[in-house]
mmCIF file of all heavy atoms in Angstrom:
data_model
loop_
_atom_site.group_PDB
_atom_site.id
_atom_site.type_symbol
_atom_site.label_atom_id
_atom_site.label_comp_id
_atom_site.label_asym_id
_atom_site.label_seq_id
_atom_site.Cartn_x
_atom_site.Cartn_y
_atom_site.Cartn_z
ATOM 1 N N GLY A 250 -11.684 3.749 -3.619
ATOM 2 C CA GLY A 250 -12.739 2.792 -3.903
ATOM 3 C C GLY A 250 -14.111 3.412 -4.035
ATOM 4 O O GLY A 250 -14.916 2.997 -4.881
ATOM 5 N N HIS A 251 -14.408 4.412 -3.211
ATOM 6 C CA HIS A 251 -15.772 4.947 -3.200
ATOM 7 C C HIS A 251 -16.084 5.781 -4.431
ATOM 8 O O HIS A 251 -17.245 6.118 -4.678
ATOM 9 C CB HIS A 251 -16.027 5.760 -1.919
ATOM 10 C CG HIS A 251 -15.337 7.083 -1.878
ATOM 11 N ND1 HIS A 251 -15.988 8.269 -2.114
ATOM 12 C CD2 HIS A 251 -14.050 7.404 -1.615
ATOM 13 C CE1 HIS A 251 -15.132 9.274 -1.986
ATOM 14 N NE2 HIS A 251 -13.954 8.770 -1.687
ATOM 15 N N LYS A 252 -15.051 6.096 -5.244
ATOM 16 C CA LYS A 252 -15.302 6.802 -6.502
ATOM 17 C C LYS A 252 -15.655 5.838 -7.631
ATOM 18 O O LYS A 252 -16.102 6.262 -8.695
ATOM 19 C CB LYS A 252 -14.049 7.589 -6.928
ATOM 20 C CG LYS A 252 -13.459 8.505 -5.881
ATOM 21 C CD LYS A 252 -14.240 9.763 -5.682
ATOM 22 C CE LYS A 252 -13.438 10.731 -4.803
ATOM 23 N NZ LYS A 252 -14.187 11.963 -4.509
ATOM 24 N N ILE A 253 -15.441 4.532 -7.410
ATOM 25 C CA ILE A 253 -15.630 3.546 -8.460
ATOM 26 C C ILE A 253 -16.655 2.493 -8.013
ATOM 27 O O ILE A 253 -16.490 1.302 -8.224
ATOM 28 C CB ILE A 253 -14.278 2.927 -8.889
ATOM 29 C CG1 ILE A 253 -14.426 2.061 -10.132
ATOM 30 C CG2 ILE A 253 -13.587 2.184 -7.762
ATOM 31 C CD1 ILE A 253 -13.124 1.630 -10.770
ATOM 32 N N TYR A 254 -17.704 2.985 -7.322
ATOM 33 C CA TYR A 254 -18.857 2.177 -6.918
ATOM 34 C C TYR A 254 -18.539 1.228 -5.766
ATOM 35 O O TYR A 254 -19.327 0.334 -5.457
ATOM 36 C CB TYR A 254 -19.434 1.397 -8.111
ATOM 37 C CG TYR A 254 -19.705 2.262 -9.310
ATOM 38 C CD1 TYR A 254 -18.853 2.248 -10.408
ATOM 39 C CD2 TYR A 254 -20.787 3.140 -9.335
ATOM 40 C CE1 TYR A 254 -19.080 3.070 -11.514
ATOM 41 C CE2 TYR A 254 -21.025 3.963 -10.435
ATOM 42 C CZ TYR A 254 -20.173 3.919 -11.516
ATOM 43 O OH TYR A 254 -20.390 4.737 -12.599
ATOM 44 N N GLY A 255 -17.398 1.429 -5.108
ATOM 45 C CA GLY A 255 -17.045 0.628 -3.953
ATOM 46 C C GLY A 255 -17.298 1.378 -2.658
ATOM 47 O O GLY A 255 -17.786 2.515 -2.657
ATOM 48 N N PRO A 256 -16.940 0.761 -1.531
ATOM 49 C CA PRO A 256 -17.178 1.395 -0.225
ATOM 50 C C PRO A 256 -16.173 2.486 0.081
ATOM 51 O O PRO A 256 -15.114 2.593 -0.567
ATOM 52 C CB PRO A 256 -17.043 0.223 0.760
ATOM 53 C CG PRO A 256 -16.172 -0.763 0.060
ATOM 54 C CD PRO A 256 -16.448 -0.622 -1.411
ATOM 55 N N THR A 257 -16.489 3.292 1.076
ATOM 56 C CA THR A 257 -15.550 4.299 1.557
ATOM 57 C C THR A 257 -14.485 3.625 2.424
ATOM 58 O O THR A 257 -14.641 2.501 2.886
ATOM 59 C CB THR A 257 -16.270 5.373 2.376
ATOM 60 O OG1 THR A 257 -16.964 4.741 3.460
ATOM 61 C CG2 THR A 257 -17.265 6.143 1.526
ATOM 62 N N GLY A 258 -13.391 4.352 2.631
ATOM 63 C CA GLY A 258 -12.352 3.860 3.528
ATOM 64 C C GLY A 258 -11.432 2.825 2.919
ATOM 65 O O GLY A 258 -10.690 2.159 3.643
ATOM 66 N N ILE A 259 -11.460 2.677 1.601
ATOM 67 C CA ILE A 259 -10.552 1.751 0.928
ATOM 68 C C ILE A 259 -10.045 2.414 -0.340
ATOM 69 O O ILE A 259 -10.780 3.132 -1.037
ATOM 70 C CB ILE A 259 -11.240 0.403 0.600
ATOM 71 C CG1 ILE A 259 -10.222 -0.630 0.089
ATOM 72 C CG2 ILE A 259 -12.368 0.602 -0.409
ATOM 73 C CD1 ILE A 259 -9.297 -1.151 1.134
ATOM 74 N N GLY A 260 -8.781 2.206 -0.629
ATOM 75 C CA GLY A 260 -8.180 2.754 -1.835
ATOM 76 C C GLY A 260 -6.966 1.948 -2.201
ATOM 77 O O GLY A 260 -6.644 0.933 -1.564
ATOM 78 N N VAL A 261 -6.254 2.405 -3.209
ATOM 79 C CA VAL A 261 -5.136 1.636 -3.753
ATOM 80 C C VAL A 261 -3.982 2.568 -4.088
ATOM 81 O O VAL A 261 -4.177 3.666 -4.619
ATOM 82 C CB VAL A 261 -5.565 0.882 -5.032
ATOM 83 C CG1 VAL A 261 -4.362 0.236 -5.718
ATOM 84 C CG2 VAL A 261 -6.628 -0.160 -4.705
ATOM 85 N N LEU A 262 -2.790 2.115 -3.751
ATOM 86 C CA LEU A 262 -1.566 2.673 -4.295
ATOM 87 C C LEU A 262 -0.915 1.601 -5.145
ATOM 88 O O LEU A 262 -0.639 0.501 -4.653
ATOM 89 C CB LEU A 262 -0.607 3.111 -3.185
ATOM 90 C CG LEU A 262 0.846 3.375 -3.626
ATOM 91 C CD1 LEU A 262 0.924 4.563 -4.578
ATOM 92 C CD2 LEU A 262 1.749 3.583 -2.417
ATOM 93 N N TRP A 263 -0.698 1.907 -6.415
ATOM 94 C CA TRP A 263 0.128 1.058 -7.274
ATOM 95 C C TRP A 263 1.455 1.758 -7.468
ATOM 96 O O TRP A 263 1.516 2.995 -7.587
ATOM 97 C CB TRP A 263 -0.538 0.861 -8.647
ATOM 98 C CG TRP A 263 0.415 0.247 -9.642
ATOM 99 C CD1 TRP A 263 0.626 -1.077 -9.860
ATOM 100 C CD2 TRP A 263 1.308 0.950 -10.525
ATOM 101 N NE1 TRP A 263 1.591 -1.257 -10.821
ATOM 102 C CE2 TRP A 263 2.035 -0.024 -11.249
ATOM 103 C CE3 TRP A 263 1.570 2.293 -10.770
ATOM 104 C CZ2 TRP A 263 2.990 0.303 -12.199
ATOM 105 C CZ3 TRP A 263 2.527 2.639 -11.712
ATOM 106 C CH2 TRP A 263 3.223 1.650 -12.424
ATOM 107 N N ALA A 264 2.520 0.968 -7.489
ATOM 108 C CA ALA A 264 3.836 1.506 -7.834
ATOM 109 C C ALA A 264 4.638 0.411 -8.513
ATOM 110 O O ALA A 264 4.352 -0.783 -8.350
ATOM 111 C CB ALA A 264 4.564 2.010 -6.593
ATOM 112 N N THR A 265 5.629 0.799 -9.269
ATOM 113 C CA THR A 265 6.482 -0.191 -9.913
ATOM 114 C C THR A 265 7.246 -0.976 -8.842
ATOM 115 O O THR A 265 7.559 -0.459 -7.766
ATOM 116 C CB THR A 265 7.479 0.471 -10.862
ATOM 117 O OG1 THR A 265 8.375 1.304 -10.107
ATOM 118 C CG2 THR A 265 6.762 1.308 -11.918
ATOM 119 N N THR A 266 7.558 -2.222 -9.145
ATOM 120 C CA THR A 266 8.312 -3.055 -8.206
ATOM 121 C C THR A 266 9.663 -2.434 -7.913
ATOM 122 O O THR A 266 10.152 -2.472 -6.774
ATOM 123 C CB THR A 266 8.480 -4.466 -8.792
ATOM 124 O OG1 THR A 266 7.185 -5.015 -9.079
ATOM 125 C CG2 THR A 266 9.198 -5.385 -7.809
ATOM 126 N N GLU A 267 10.276 -1.840 -8.930
ATOM 127 C CA GLU A 267 11.572 -1.193 -8.755
ATOM 128 C C GLU A 267 11.506 -0.098 -7.703
ATOM 129 O O GLU A 267 12.368 -0.011 -6.816
ATOM 130 C CB GLU A 267 12.026 -0.599 -10.093
ATOM 131 C CG GLU A 267 13.278 0.259 -10.005
ATOM 132 C CD GLU A 267 13.505 1.103 -11.238
ATOM 133 O OE1 GLU A 267 12.663 1.071 -12.169
ATOM 134 O OE2 GLU A 267 14.515 1.824 -11.275
ATOM 135 N N VAL A 268 10.476 0.725 -7.773
ATOM 136 C CA VAL A 268 10.349 1.822 -6.817
ATOM 137 C C VAL A 268 10.013 1.283 -5.431
ATOM 138 O O VAL A 268 10.603 1.691 -4.420
ATOM 139 C CB VAL A 268 9.277 2.824 -7.281
ATOM 140 C CG1 VAL A 268 8.991 3.843 -6.189
ATOM 141 C CG2 VAL A 268 9.730 3.540 -8.552
ATOM 142 N N LEU A 269 9.059 0.352 -5.358
ATOM 143 C CA LEU A 269 8.639 -0.179 -4.062
ATOM 144 C C LEU A 269 9.780 -0.864 -3.322
ATOM 145 O O LEU A 269 9.865 -0.807 -2.089
ATOM 146 C CB LEU A 269 7.484 -1.164 -4.246
ATOM 147 C CG LEU A 269 6.118 -0.575 -4.594
ATOM 148 C CD1 LEU A 269 5.128 -1.687 -4.897
ATOM 149 C CD2 LEU A 269 5.599 0.305 -3.457
ATOM 150 N N ALA A 270 10.659 -1.509 -4.060
ATOM 151 C CA ALA A 270 11.747 -2.255 -3.425
ATOM 152 C C ALA A 270 12.677 -1.353 -2.628
ATOM 153 O O ALA A 270 13.332 -1.805 -1.680
ATOM 154 C CB ALA A 270 12.538 -3.015 -4.483
ATOM 155 N N ASP A 271 12.714 -0.073 -2.999
ATOM 156 C CA ASP A 271 13.635 0.855 -2.337
ATOM 157 C C ASP A 271 12.959 1.730 -1.281
ATOM 158 O O ASP A 271 13.626 2.533 -0.633
ATOM 159 C CB ASP A 271 14.287 1.770 -3.389
ATOM 160 C CG ASP A 271 15.245 1.018 -4.303
ATOM 161 O OD1 ASP A 271 15.780 -0.010 -3.863
ATOM 162 O OD2 ASP A 271 15.432 1.459 -5.453
ATOM 163 N N LEU A 272 11.638 1.580 -1.107
ATOM 164 C CA LEU A 272 10.942 2.449 -0.157
ATOM 165 C C LEU A 272 11.002 1.880 1.253
ATOM 166 O O LEU A 272 10.852 0.671 1.452
ATOM 167 C CB LEU A 272 9.478 2.615 -0.567
ATOM 168 C CG LEU A 272 9.167 3.289 -1.898
ATOM 169 C CD1 LEU A 272 7.676 3.570 -1.990
ATOM 170 C CD2 LEU A 272 9.962 4.570 -2.078
ATOM 171 N N PRO A 273 11.178 2.737 2.250
ATOM 172 C CA PRO A 273 11.100 2.271 3.633
ATOM 173 C C PRO A 273 9.642 2.030 4.018
ATOM 174 O O PRO A 273 8.730 2.507 3.340
ATOM 175 C CB PRO A 273 11.681 3.450 4.422
ATOM 176 C CG PRO A 273 11.357 4.645 3.583
ATOM 177 C CD PRO A 273 11.467 4.171 2.152
ATOM 178 N N PRO A 274 9.391 1.281 5.095
ATOM 179 C CA PRO A 274 8.004 1.087 5.551
ATOM 180 C C PRO A 274 7.354 2.424 5.894
ATOM 181 O O PRO A 274 8.026 3.394 6.270
ATOM 182 C CB PRO A 274 8.159 0.212 6.789
ATOM 183 C CG PRO A 274 9.463 -0.478 6.608
ATOM 184 C CD PRO A 274 10.341 0.513 5.892
ATOM 185 N N TYR A 275 6.028 2.432 5.766
ATOM 186 C CA TYR A 275 5.252 3.637 6.050
ATOM 187 C C TYR A 275 4.790 3.647 7.504
ATOM 188 O O TYR A 275 4.877 4.658 8.194
ATOM 189 C CB TYR A 275 4.057 3.673 5.100
ATOM 190 C CG TYR A 275 3.078 4.812 5.305
ATOM 191 C CD1 TYR A 275 3.492 6.131 5.388
ATOM 192 C CD2 TYR A 275 1.714 4.555 5.376
ATOM 193 C CE1 TYR A 275 2.595 7.172 5.544
ATOM 194 C CE2 TYR A 275 0.803 5.586 5.531
ATOM 195 C CZ TYR A 275 1.237 6.892 5.619
ATOM 196 O OH TYR A 275 0.336 7.915 5.772
ATOM 197 N N GLN A 276 4.285 2.525 7.982
ATOM 198 C CA GLN A 276 3.822 2.384 9.362
ATOM 199 C C GLN A 276 4.331 1.054 9.914
ATOM 200 O O GLN A 276 4.537 0.098 9.158
ATOM 201 C CB GLN A 276 2.291 2.414 9.441
ATOM 202 C CG GLN A 276 1.684 3.740 9.013
ATOM 203 C CD GLN A 276 0.162 3.695 9.015
ATOM 204 O OE1 GLN A 276 -0.439 2.666 8.716
ATOM 205 N NE2 GLN A 276 -0.462 4.799 9.344
ATOM 206 N N GLY A 277 4.497 1.009 11.213
ATOM 207 C CA GLY A 277 4.935 -0.221 11.860
ATOM 208 C C GLY A 277 3.801 -0.911 12.583
ATOM 209 O O GLY A 277 2.843 -0.274 13.013
ATOM 210 N N GLY A 278 3.908 -2.234 12.726
ATOM 211 C CA GLY A 278 2.888 -2.992 13.439
ATOM 212 C C GLY A 278 2.818 -4.416 12.946
ATOM 213 O O GLY A 278 3.788 -4.957 12.408
ATOM 214 N N GLY A 279 1.658 -5.029 13.140
ATOM 215 C CA GLY A 279 1.472 -6.398 12.686
ATOM 216 C C GLY A 279 1.361 -6.483 11.182
ATOM 217 O O GLY A 279 1.067 -5.503 10.499
ATOM 218 N N GLU A 280 1.622 -7.663 10.644
ATOM 219 C CA GLU A 280 1.485 -8.033 9.239
ATOM 220 C C GLU A 280 2.582 -7.464 8.348
ATOM 221 O O GLU A 280 2.954 -8.085 7.361
ATOM 222 C CB GLU A 280 0.113 -7.634 8.677
ATOM 223 C CG GLU A 280 -0.180 -8.175 7.284
ATOM 224 C CD GLU A 280 -0.064 -9.689 7.198
ATOM 225 O OE1 GLU A 280 -0.351 -10.381 8.198
ATOM 226 O OE2 GLU A 280 0.319 -10.194 6.140
ATOM 227 N N MET A 281 3.116 -6.299 8.682
ATOM 228 C CA MET A 281 4.163 -5.726 7.828
ATOM 229 C C MET A 281 5.544 -6.251 8.218
ATOM 230 O O MET A 281 6.567 -5.786 7.717
ATOM 231 C CB MET A 281 4.140 -4.196 7.867
ATOM 232 C CG MET A 281 4.200 -3.534 9.221
ATOM 233 S SD MET A 281 5.820 -3.467 9.999
ATOM 234 C CE MET A 281 6.690 -2.413 8.877
ATOM 235 N N ILE A 282 5.568 -7.287 9.041
ATOM 236 C CA ILE A 282 6.835 -7.838 9.522
ATOM 237 C C ILE A 282 6.937 -9.329 9.197
ATOM 238 O O ILE A 282 5.937 -9.998 8.962
ATOM 239 C CB ILE A 282 6.974 -7.647 11.043
ATOM 240 C CG1 ILE A 282 5.756 -8.233 11.788
ATOM 241 C CG2 ILE A 282 7.134 -6.171 11.375
ATOM 242 C CD1 ILE A 282 5.826 -9.683 12.138
ATOM 243 N N LYS A 283 8.188 -9.810 9.151
ATOM 244 C CA LYS A 283 8.438 -11.250 9.122
ATOM 245 C C LYS A 283 8.787 -11.768 10.509
ATOM 246 O O LYS A 283 8.345 -12.833 10.925
ATOM 247 C CB LYS A 283 9.573 -11.572 8.139
ATOM 248 C CG LYS A 283 9.183 -11.537 6.678
ATOM 249 C CD LYS A 283 10.337 -12.019 5.806
ATOM 250 C CE LYS A 283 9.911 -12.112 4.348
ATOM 251 N NZ LYS A 283 11.032 -12.569 3.474
ATOM 252 N N SER A 284 9.603 -10.988 11.212
ATOM 253 C CA SER A 284 9.982 -11.366 12.575
ATOM 254 C C SER A 284 10.320 -10.118 13.368
ATOM 255 O O SER A 284 10.750 -9.107 12.803
ATOM 256 C CB SER A 284 11.183 -12.322 12.568
ATOM 257 O OG SER A 284 12.329 -11.666 12.057
ATOM 258 N N VAL A 285 10.087 -10.207 14.685
ATOM 259 C CA VAL A 285 10.352 -9.073 15.575
ATOM 260 C C VAL A 285 11.063 -9.567 16.820
ATOM 261 O O VAL A 285 10.632 -10.536 17.458
ATOM 262 C CB VAL A 285 9.045 -8.350 15.981
ATOM 263 C CG1 VAL A 285 9.340 -7.246 16.987
ATOM 264 C CG2 VAL A 285 8.329 -7.789 14.768
#
């Protein structure tokens, strides 16, 4: 973000839905879950 006139500490990963559907989670915690 900070390279495109936005604030620091924010960025984006885009990936195809096909690829994302097969990836395991990156980090665990709140919001990335449906139920625990």
Side-chain angles (χ1 to χ4, degrees):
H251 73 103
K252 308 284 190 183
I253 189 169
Y254 309 104
T257 57
I259 189 72
V261 172
L262 165 65
W263 168 88
T265 64
T266 303
E267 172 194 2
V268 171
L269 287 174
D271 291 334
L272 297 190
Y275 176 51
Q276 296 176 326
E280 189 56 32
M281 54 78 65
I282 54 87
K283 283 186 175 179
S284 65
V285 176

